[in-house]
Amino acid sequence: MNGDVLIKVIDLKKHYLGGKVKALDGINVEIQTGEVVVIIGPSGSVKSTLLRSLNLLEIPTGGSIIFEGVDICDPKQNINLHRQKMGMVFQHFNLFANMNIIDNMTIAPRKRLKKSKDEATEKAMELLKRVGLADRANDYPSQLSGGQKQRIAIVRALCMEPDVMLFDEPTSALDPEMVGEVLDVMKSLAKSGTTMIVVTHEMGFAKEVGNRVIFMDGGKIIEEGTPQEIFENPQSDRLKSFLAKVL
Amino acid sequence: MNDFFASVVDKFTRCFIAKSYWKMILQGFRDSLIITFFSIILGLLIGVILATIRTSYDKNEESLKIKGGIGYWSLKILNSLCKAYIAVIRGVPVVVQLLIWYFIILATQKNSIIVAVAAFGVNSGAYVAEIFRGGIMSVDVGQFEAGRSLGFNYVQTMIHIIIPQAFKTVLPTLLNEFIAVLKETSIAGYVGITDLTRAGAIIRAQTFEAFMPLIAVAIIYLVTVIVLTALFTRIERRLRNSER
């Protein structure tokens, strides 16, 4: 193991059309256990591509991702075993439409972690209570509001007891009045010491909860630092003009 | 008026009762149903396998290409074979296919019904494959990604998440295909099977009466399709209820 480093991204590249389009152009970053890292940047800066590369939903064309000491880009690795330890929350929730809430939450622990139905249900109900949705356990996703769906999506990922949580613009598809309830769940997660990597446009969240902020543009990391460094003392012109527009 | 009824009754008697032609109609109907049933089963089997290969290739091409090796190449070859099969089946009229099975591929097979099942089943398989492929592809890619992100492998994601959702969307189109198969079997007479249509044709030739046998045959097909449709509507409703 690499001591405290949970994920180490080395010279990660994602090229299309034989290198003509460089979506990710040599990304180097380290994520430590317990850290909350927020990735910000303008649209098209491939923040999501970087996040989705971390659990290989996007397949990088170069470089490596060391997760818990193993290079998961190595084709010999069983990626499914690593993905189990990386919870992911999507912009569009992606709750399984053919299952009710409790099945959404228990199917992966049962099929992948071989938990008993009772054990998985108990854990799921406990998490549902934490996000105040225990009474919706038997409902189907189509019966829930966006904010409720996203809170369920977060606890569904937590049912697998992951070592890191990846958030891909979790509040971007929500009505404004529902953003708060989802951010609250994420804040309490951060407080409990969960390692989190969050792609978001919520600058308030980045400032308040982030331990570290990464600013990306054009497939590269332009600046990274503490929220104070990024928001109060930006170095690059690109970041300055970005913050001038969003703050 | 009385004359009219009398002539209708007379025609009906001559066409169905007098020489027990109704038995031929019934046996023809039975054979049509047998051919339809087994063709649908064979078509579903072929279709699901083909759709699985085609979508696996489309969904995994990128990752397999990077991994390389035998997995990628075998899937690529299988995928090309599936595409060729679908192209050939869709490009050749089903009557011609039936005759090819009868006179060439299964020339030694004495049982014509088996020949017909092979021909109609293999034909239907190509269409079912495309129906299922469309269904699988219509499921939001996010559902697939969510499954994979929880650690499910490709097959588990398909079985637990994608196929149940795809099945619901393909039901109406699948019914269409089943109805098409039932009606396609009306050409089974070409290879010496006395199916429903053929039975009607024989009666027409024997009695010189066209109206009665043709309308009778048409009504039997129509009723069968209506029953099939009602059955599917029920299944659809039940599936929809399970989601709400």
Side-chain angles (χ1 to χ4, degrees), chain B:
Chain B
M1 203 62 183
N2 265 345
D3 282 359
F4 175 73
F5 274 120
S7 91
V8 167
V9 170
D10 174 56
K11 279 178 186 169
F12 189 86
T13 315
R14 273 204 298 134
C15 285
F16 303 118
I17 316 283
K19 294 189 178 161
S20 292
Y21 283 144
W22 62 272
K23 272 187 190 161
M24 196 165 58
I25 292 272
L26 217 61
Q27 277 166 9
F29 182 47
R30 186 200 61 198
D31 284 357
S32 286
L33 286 184
I34 288 173
I35 296 170
T36 306
F37 179 77
F38 287 105
S39 299
I40 286 173
I41 300 288
L42 181 61
L44 275 176
L45 212 69
I46 295 174
V48 168
I49 292 169
L50 257 64
T52 312
I53 293 171
R54 298 267 283 121
T55 47
S56 312
Y57 178 75
D58 289 345
K59 284 216 162 102
N60 296 323
E61 186 187 7
E62 196 190 2
S63 64
L64 282 171
K65 206 170 186 175
I66 290 167
K67 270 192 186 179
I70 190 113
Y72 173 66
W73 285 106
S74 50
L75 198 58
K76 196 179 168 84
I77 291 166
L78 273 174
N79 181 56
S80 306
L81 284 176
C82 293
K83 272 169 135 175
Y85 164 75
I86 291 167
V88 168
I89 294 296
R90 290 205 294 201
V92 178
V94 67
V95 186
V96 180
Q97 287 180 45
L98 179 64
L99 293 174
I100 290 174
W101 280 99
Y102 186 71
F103 285 112
I104 303 171
I105 303 174
L106 294 179
T108 53
Q109 176 59 252
K110 293 281 184 291
N111 188 339
S112 289
I113 298 221
I114 290 175
V115 176
V117 167
F120 293 124
V122 166
N123 178 67
S124 180
Y127 293 93
V128 173
E130 290 298 278
I131 291 170
F132 270 110
R133 195 168 70 91
I136 290 169
M137 286 171 64
S138 76
V139 178
D140 178 25
V141 67
Q143 297 282 314
F144 185 80
E145 288 182 344
R148 297 307 301 265
S149 80
L150 285 168
F152 284 122
N153 61 34
Y154 178 79
V155 175
Q156 285 175 320
T157 311
M158 287 311 255
I159 291 176
H160 296 300
I161 298 151
I162 307 298
I163 291 180
Q165 294 183 50
F167 188 68
K168 212 168 347 184
T169 36
V170 303
L171 264 183
T173 334
L174 213 50
L175 170 64
N176 242 356
E177 172 58 19
F178 293 168
I179 291 173
V181 172
L182 169 68
K183 295 196 293 188
E184 269 168 12
T185 61
S186 63
I187 57 168
Y190 270 87
V191 294
I193 297 169
T194 310
D195 71 314
L196 179 57
T197 305
R198 185 64 164 201
I202 291 171
I203 296 171
R204 194 180 68 234
Q206 301 275 330
T207 59
F208 302 107
E209 196 59 64
F211 182 85
M212 282 288 171
L214 277 176
I215 296 301
V217 166
I219 289 172
I220 294 173
Y221 278 117
L222 179 63
V223 169
T224 313
V225 169
I226 288 172
V227 169
L228 209 60
T229 309
L231 198 75
F232 264 68
T233 312
R234 280 181 87 168
I235 298 174
E236 262 178 66
R237 197 175 309 138
R238 188 168 300 173
L239 281 177
R240 214 173 313 130
N241 284 344
S242 76
E243 194 158 287
R244 289 251 69 183

Side-chain angles (χ1 to χ4, degrees), chain A residues 108-121:
Chain A
R110 284 168 59 196
K111 303 285 175 194
R112 295 301 304 181
L113 304 178
K114 304 290 172 209
K115 280 193 180 181
S116 73
K117 187 171 183 180
D118 290 346
E119 199 184 349
T121 308

